[in-house]
Amino acid sequence: MEELVVTMAIRPLVAMLRDKVSSYLLDQYNVMDGMEKQHRILKRRLPIILDVITDAEEQAAAHREGAKAWLQELKTVAYEANQVFDEFKYEALRREANKNGHYKKLGFDVIKLFPTHNRVAFRHRMGSKLCRILEDINVLIAEMHDFGLRRTLLASNQLGQTPVSKEWRQTDYVIIDPQEIASRSRCQDKNNIVKVLLGEASNADLAVVPIVGMGGLGKTTLAQLIYNEPEIQKHFQLQLWVCVSDTFDVNSVAKSIVEASPKKNYDTDKPPLDRLPKTEVHKWERLKVCLQHGGMGSTVLTTTRDKQVAEIMGADKTYNLNVLKDNFIKEIIEARAFDSKKEKPDQLVKMVDEIVKRCSGSPLAATALGSVLRTKTSVSEWKVVSSRSSICTEETGILPILKLSYNDLPAHMKQCFAFCAIFPKDYKINVEKLIQLWIANGFIPEHEEDSLETIGNNIFSELASRSFFLDIEEFKGDMQNQQYCFRTTCKIHDLMHDIAMSVMGKECVVAIKEPSETEWLSDTAKHLFLSCVETESILNDSLEKKSPAIQTLICDSHMRSSLKHLSKYNTLHALKLCLGTKSFLLKPKYLHHLRYLDLSYSTVKALPEDISILYNLQVLDLSNCYYLERLPMQMKYMTSLRHLYTHGCPELKSMPPGLENLTKLQTLTYFVAAVTGPDCSDVAELQHLNLGGQLELRQIENVIEAEAKVANVGNKKDLRELTLRWNSVCDSKVLDNFEPHGGLQVLKIYFYGGECMGMLQDMVEIHLFHCERLQFLFRSITIFTFPKLKVLMLEHLLGFEGWWKIDERQEEQTIFPVLEKLFISNCGKLIALPEAPLLQGPCGEDGYTLVRSAFPALKVLKMKELESFQRWDAVEETQGEQILFPCLEELSIEKCPKLTALPEAPFLQEPCGEGGYTLVRSAFPALKVLKMENLESFQRWDALEETQGEHIVFPCLEELSIEKCPKLTALPEAPLLQEPCGEGGYTLVRSAFPALKVLKMENLESFQRWDGVEGTLFPQLEKLSVQKCPKMTDLPQAPKLSVLEVEDGKQKIFHFIDRYLSSLTKLILNLEYTETTSEAECTSIVPVNIKERWNQESPLTVMKLRCCNSFFGSGALEDFVLLKPWDYFVHLEDLEIGRCDVLVYWPENVFQSLVSLRRLVIRNCPNLIGHAQAPLEPLASERSQHLPGLEVLKLKFCASLVEMFNVPTSLKSISIWDCPKLEYIFRNQQGMSEYVQGSFCSEEIMPTTISELSSSPTNHFCPYLEYLDLWTCGSLPAVLNLPASLKTLKIAYCSSIQALACQSGGLQKPEATTSISRSPIMPEPLAAATTAREHLLPPHLESLAIRDCAGMLGGTLRLPAPLKKLDIIGNSGLTSLEYLSGELPSSLEVLRLGRCSTLASLPNEPQVYRSLWDLEITGCPAIKKLPRCLQQQLGIIEHKFKVLDARYEVMACKPKTWKEIPRLVREQRRATRQAREGQQSTMQE
């Protein structure tokens, strides 16, 4: 791969220089005045160099060191020369702007912005630079002759003159479906690994299964197939996918796993780790510790090229992936190499077998070679490719073939692909942004016929067709998402990424964590990607010593502090920053060459006015800058601007004047029409701009002559989506005759005040919101159709009465023949769906007789809040004709109070099984999801009241949700099921839902029957949720049920649970409360014939019980003492117990059985005292025998609880709320009782007691505890031995707590030992003597919150260095906050101090407040003045996250703003009041 470094696309770099030297701008504005001779010489010299580059690259590939050095020097000179001519171009643009009056608008700022704009000074400075470049060029030409470099004639496209073949325009990058071939070719491998994974179900230890094979074999594709396999998805409750980079970092991987988890808590199954690199053993061991506490059967599936990695991971079930069979390799090559629409040449087909051998079973190599051969049409060309491609071996892998594929690219395409090395591996690349970055760096050569964007799209398509890009996905976003959401993303295969990295060398730098090497940024770096914490600090430190000519800087994380060395950014062409500040961090006078500026999702309020001097800027992305209030007024001088993204900026009230001057503008996503004036643009200024893509016009009520101007916008031929928005509904006829051009596909309209609209029949999507006066979609003399319409959304159309109004009645016609998605909500006058014409056999050869359908292609129908809706057809009398939705897959009906039934269903003609049904009806033969909610009148499943023995069936329905339908009494009467759901089938059973998997029923007041006939079956049902159905007393037959949830159910339901125990994995049982007078009344859930039926362990992993006394009463278990029924729940991981009256003592006999339990929650058990009925005294070594894997423990609202059980050492989180009698968190420990009864201890004894407790080996409990939350535990006198592992500590309303202590070795000793005060019951003189206290906090603590514990903290509180969040409210003894001496504190992110009456001193180290984004200091009268370093941060913190007493804000003001003091005081008081109200509401919740 070494030769690739020197064959990096130098030709486009020189060609780019040649084009800049020949630019017409240089002559038009005389910027080369006095340098004409050097200019002419350079024009002659550059073509000479271009002629010999190919020969130089060939010699370099043959390891001719002289040629390598010559090319490297040429690249260096070309970069410098390009920078010089960028300065010439900028000078030309500056003079053009000056000529057009920009200087007058800038005023005196011109002197600061252009200190060297004097032409004589410019000529002198640039003349010397040009002479140096010319000297270097002459030296290169002389050396060229010395090395004997020959002139090589190239095709015009290689010279960059015709960059893109016309054929590429028809190229689609989706030629074959790789997943389809992979699913066939790797079926056996997939089944083998799935079997291994499922076989680990009973394994308590973490299982690791690596897939090992050389690069390009399809390991990741195989892992994806396994990941998406239905059996795997059903078996593992939670699945995560994480890609591991080559720079293996344990913390980063662990963070990625947490972020990938939708739950983001303890409950995580193990993820596939894609492309695990070879790394040190200790790193894997550290990660394994993080993953160790998985549930039973948890598994890590990894992919790696290195067998040693599998050994390092300790895997005993490594899966070695074999090469792909030749027939599949041949299929891939032929699919890539030949046009499927043309006949394959016989001579070339015969050569395929030879090519197959060279791929050695690698699908990626086959794809790459096939893509190369697609551009070759003769036998001789195929022979050349075959001879140049090395056969893949174990040593070389497929890199030689990938290298061949890369070398086959035209020069400018090599450059475009190599640039992608700037992105991390597995990064989702936004294709539109990628093309813009190519353009910004000058990688795309200009062409007269096409725009740069079109050429860029063609280049991307060509690269994608050659498999340089993969996982190409198009996103359109949610239908109700009002933001600019169309985008295409892609990824790069990791081996292709290796190719790009080897080409770019140190020119591309990627840092996804803080660089550890001091020399990570070299002087040759050109393109930087940073995605790590405190990016600004890394840049500031690096640029202090180095000055690389950076062209691209992408910062993918928030910046909250300022940048330094601003002049060193003067070579930037592309910049992406996400600013967490209100102002722009860089100075435009150092960004003259900037072409691309992305500030999306920043918090800036405005851009500086002098940003208008960025005359080269082509892309400005300000999308989703929520606080942005205005754009630069002089924006009209930024004449190079091509794309302006301003969507997602709700505070933007107008557009700057003169936008009509931006004649190159192609994209403008958001235009706000203000009241016409000199300081804003009118919509008319868009008239001559060739805008494309998406555009939203806001505040149209301000537009004069709006009808003509909007019509002009609608006729822009490249516009694909148009949004028209009024601020409120007002009289308007703007759209009465609106007829947009045929290319416009999506139209969204908000608050239009007209009664009708123009002809929109060419639309693909129509969205209408809050058009309250609109009565019909259209009015016409004759009927017409919407032949292209696929999506129709009607929301809040209060006057909408019907679908259309036609003057003359004509023959029936399908108005919406291809409509796929229909959303209707808040249309109060709409009575029915449109009139349905007769259906002409759309869903079967036989078709239907007398069946009507208005929507023959509809797949999704959602109706919500339709007050008058009651019919499924506009015609009341259908004369026995039924309504059919033949393709409907999802139906949602909410808040339609007059709807009584589903439509009258036609006979179903064998659409769902070999056996079929007899006398069965269905209006929804393809329906998969049905949701019905808040239907006050709904009571029938068919419009016909009498079906005369005919049954309704939903043959394909998988999800059914019914909520708040008070008149519904039963599900539809089920037909006999004839073998539709298994090989053996079912005999004499009934089911209206043969495919149903999920059923949810909630708030059904009258529901009492599952069917009118006994024996109703749900053969495929997996999840059943029954909530608040008061008349339901039984549960249905469901042999595959895995999740059952019952809310407010009758106690009788308890007796039906046992039928599901063999299949359930999750049980939530919340029964109605009935007072239990004795434990003997409790009955067991375990079946009576347990010995016969229970010969296996229950798969149950989650159990949540409320008012289920039968689980714990002695009567429930007395018959099975020897059987130990809880032993059957060995896989249980999550247990919640609520409102259990018979639970008095800790059920230690239950705890002994729950060996897999990870989470235990007990709440609202009023009789629970705590200690065992027959108290046990286990040794310290036996303390962890019960619940050995418990990680989370929560106890809430147990009013009688006095003592905890012996908690295991595995605990990571403890929360205890409202247990007012609790005296001990950890069972009576040596010395604790004496310490707690501190009223008898002297001042001198107490520190000694703490020391003894801390050093006692029996008290090193919970070494992994990271989270401790105590709330309203008034009897706790002390919190002792906080483990060093603790990261979060919260204590609130625990008035008796006096001391915090950490285990020995956890925290360095304070400089001076001070005494600790006693509890409030001390004698008064002794209590008064304890004026200073020292609390020992854990060294790794990141969050500390103490609220309304008035007597706890006293004197100085020394904070540990990692602390990021500090919240102290309601304290009367604390005097100062300090960091431990000798430790460098990290940056606080949240600081909240309130009602701390004696607190006077805060830390004064600058780094403490550097990352602060949430600040509250109120009611602390002893703090007279904020530290200076904190005052400096006040302007950066957003107003809504800053609550300060008014005097602190006044201190931070400069004298010139003192007139603003009254306003500041009012605002601050209001903010403080709102914050307190928010806190009170949060506490109440």
Side-chain angles (χ1 to χ4, degrees), residues 124-257:
H124 180 268
R125 178 168 55 88
M126 297 305 295
S128 60
K129 289 186 179 183
L130 186 60
C131 287
R132 286 197 299 272
I133 294 296
L134 199 54
E135 288 174 8
D136 293 337
I137 293 289
N138 288 332
V139 171
L140 285 167
I141 291 177
E143 292 177 345
M144 177 183 80
H145 295 303
D146 294 340
F147 294 138
L149 298 179
R150 300 185 310 275
R151 184 182 180 191
T152 306
L153 294 176
L154 299 175
S156 58
N157 67 316
Q158 288 177 292
L159 291 169
Q161 295 170 355
T162 311
V164 182
S165 168
K166 296 291 183 182
E167 296 177 4
W168 294 358
R169 301 173 187 224
Q170 283 80 39
T171 299
D172 186 358
Y173 45 75
V174 185
I175 297 176
I176 58 175
D177 182 4
Q179 289 291 90
E180 190 273 333
I181 293 181
S183 63
R184 288 188 287 111
S185 62
R186 294 298 188 189
C187 182
Q188 188 59 50
D189 293 305
K190 180 194 72 174
N191 293 338
N192 291 343
I193 297 176
V194 167
K195 186 177 179 180
V196 170
L197 296 178
L198 297 181
E200 297 292 332
S202 59
N203 190 351
D205 297 327
L206 178 67
V208 181
V209 181
I211 303 174
V212 180
M214 73 174 184
L217 275 187
K219 299 183 296 296
T220 299
T221 303
L222 175 59
Q224 288 173 337
L225 290 173
I226 296 166
Y227 186 83
N228 294 318
E229 176 67 19
E231 279 188 88
I232 293 294
Q233 296 201 339
K234 181 180 178 181
H235 178 77
F236 293 99
Q237 292 184 12
L238 179 63
Q239 296 171 267
L240 307 176
W241 182 281
V242 177
C243 182
V244 181
S245 64
D246 288 340
T247 53
F248 185 78
D249 177 65
V250 175
N251 294 331
S252 299
V253 175
K255 181 181 177 184
S256 298
I257 292 172

Side-chain angles (χ1 to χ4, degrees), residues 90 112-115 550 563-573 575 584-595 610-611 613-614:
Y90 183 81
K112 298 178 182 178
L113 298 174
F114 305 114
I550 303 172
L563 291 171
K564 301 176 183 178
H565 319 295
L566 300 185
S567 62
K568 293 189 178 183
Y569 295 94
N570 64 343
T571 56
L572 276 176
H573 284 204
L575 174 64
F584 187 53
L585 293 181
L586 296 174
K587 292 192 176 182
K589 70 177 181 179
Y590 298 126
L591 301 173
H592 289 173
H593 308 311
L594 200 63
R595 271 88 166 159
D610 57 344
I611 207 167
I613 70 170
L614 302 184

Side-chain angles (χ1 to χ4, degrees), residues 133 139 159 396 402 488 515 562 596 929 972 1009 1274 1409:
I133 294 296
V139 171
L159 291 169
T396 64
L402 299 185
T488 302
S562 59
Y596 175 100
V929 179
R1009 297 193 331 273
Y1409 309 106

Side-chain angles (χ1 to χ4, degrees), residues 576-679:
K576 172 178 169 53
L577 298 176
C578 189
L579 302 178
T581 59
K582 295 179 181 178
S583 57
F584 187 53
L585 293 181
L586 296 174
K587 292 192 176 182
K589 70 177 181 179
Y590 298 126
L591 301 173
H592 289 173
H593 308 311
L594 200 63
R595 271 88 166 159
Y596 175 100
L597 178 58
D598 184 351
L599 299 175
S600 56
Y601 292 95
S602 294
T603 58
V604 292
K605 284 191 172 183
L607 295 178
E609 280 299 324
D610 57 344
I611 207 167
S612 59
I613 70 170
L614 302 184
Y615 304 127
N616 278 309
L617 196 66
Q618 300 169 346
V619 178
L620 178 57
D621 190 347
L622 301 171
S623 61
N624 300 297
C625 292
Y626 190 83
Y627 302 102
L628 186 69
E629 297 175 350
R630 58 184 174 83
L631 297 174
M633 293 297 291
Q634 308 307 319
M635 208 167 184
K636 63 183 179 181
Y637 295 105
M638 303 170 72
T639 53
S640 297
L641 207 59
R642 305 169 73 91
H643 306 280
L644 176 58
Y645 301 94
T646 47
H647 57 278
C649 302
E651 299 301 314
L652 198 60
K653 304 304 180 188
S654 66
M655 305 299 287
L659 289 186
E660 60 190 346
N661 296 321
L662 306 181
T663 55
K664 296 181 182 179
L665 198 63
Q666 301 174 24
T667 303
L668 176 61
T669 58
Y670 186 86
F671 184 97
V672 185
V675 177
T676 304
D679 295 332

